Amino acid sequence: MIRKRIAEPLLVLACIHEFAWKMFSEDIQGDIRALTQWPLLVALCAFVAWLSKSRMITAACVAISIMSSTTAMCSAAWLYSPWSIESWEQSCSETWGFPMLLLSCFAAILVLYVCNTSDKNG
């Protein structure tokens, strides 16, 4: 029964991610797809962390969730209030004045630290 309760929402999230973007205009389809990827990835990471009961795997899943959230936040912000994108260099970081990839980098470093600490302590 628990497998069914986990499998059904995962499948719904996967279907939303896989097909919902096609219902939107071409100019925002990529952002919709990036936005719908986040809950799917977070749900999968939560499931893996729950199954593993491992501190290291949980830490990696948290980092992956944080990293994917920066893309989702950027897409959501652009959909809410689009800004001009004239070159590939322009990004959320430039628009917001904060390096969003720094959050991802911090999450990855934190995972390495937690994994290293876990290895030393048992």
Side-chain angles (χ1 to χ4, degrees):
M1 185 64 164
I2 192 151
R3 289 181 183 170
K4 185 178 179 182
R5 280 192 261 163
I6 292 170
E8 287 173 347
L10 285 176
L11 186 58
V12 167
L13 288 172
C15 286
I16 290 169
H17 172 63
E18 193 63 31
F19 304 112
W21 63 275
K22 294 180 181 185
M23 296 185 294
F24 294 88
S25 62
E26 282 187 28
D27 59 328
I28 64 169
Q29 285 180 346
D31 289 293
I32 296 296
R33 191 143 167 91
L35 195 57
T36 61
Q37 180 176 320
W38 182 76
L40 175 61
L41 191 56
V42 170
L44 288 171
C45 283
F47 182 60
V48 167
W50 176 67
L51 281 179
S52 73
K53 296 179 177 33
S54 161
R55 184 176 173 193
M56 292 187 307
I57 291 174
T58 299
C61 288
V62 167
I64 291 165
S65 297
I66 291 169
M67 287 185 251
S68 69
S69 72
T70 60
T71 302
M73 287 183 334
C74 184
S75 292
W78 189 88
L79 287 168
Y80 179 73
S81 178
W83 56 84
S84 175
I85 301 175
E86 297 172 13
S87 70
W88 286 106
E89 289 87 35
Q90 291 175 308
S91 65
C92 285
S93 297
E94 184 177 305
T95 302
W96 294 344
F98 178 79
M100 295 301 291
L101 290 177
L102 187 61
L103 292 176
S104 297
C105 183
F106 177 74
I109 289 169
L110 186 61
V111 165
L112 290 173
Y113 173 77
V114 168
C115 291
N116 190 36
T117 303
S118 293
D119 285 344
K120 289 180 181 176
N121 293 331

